[in-house]
Amino acid sequence: VKAGGKTFVKELQGGYGVGGIQNDTILHFGLGACDTVDEISVRFPNKDMKPQVWKNVQTSRFIELRENDPEVHLATLKK
């Protein structure tokens, strides 16, 4: 994530261990007063590992990014 002249990096891992325990799939970035993210770059675990990039994404919301989909989707959070 690039925003406000800074770069933020986080890694998301799937499941692990016996029984396939699932890690949380939400990544939170505290961006302070930034109202737009300049760029989000994601490397999905596929064959070529090329990053997929989204630009000018509005902040202060939960979004869902999908592999091979150029759109930014508003996320529906489940309780």
Side-chain angles (χ1 to χ4, degrees):
V1 172
K2 293 182 181 179
K6 297 179 181 177
T7 300
F8 304 87
V9 178
K10 290 193 179 184
E11 182 176 324
L12 175 69
Q13 296 182 356
Y16 64 92
V18 177
I21 298 169
Q22 177 66 46
N23 290 330
D24 195 351
T25 58
I26 296 173
L27 295 177
H28 177 264
F29 293 87
L31 303 175
C34 292
D35 58 359
T36 303
V37 171
D38 301 316
E39 178 179 298
I40 300 172
S41 178
V42 176
R43 288 183 194 231
F44 290 97
N46 57 28
K47 188 174 165 181
D48 60 8
M49 294 294 289
K50 291 171 105 176
Q52 186 171 341
V53 177
W54 292 265
K55 294 186 180 235
N56 301 317
V57 178
Q58 194 172 4
T59 62
S60 299
R61 61 192 61 226
F62 287 97
I63 60 170
E64 182 177 331
L65 303 174
R66 302 174 187 161
E67 187 174 8
N68 298 320
D69 185 346
E71 299 296 319
V72 174
H73 302 273
L74 287 177
T76 302
L77 299 178
K78 297 176 184 173
K79 292 182 181 183

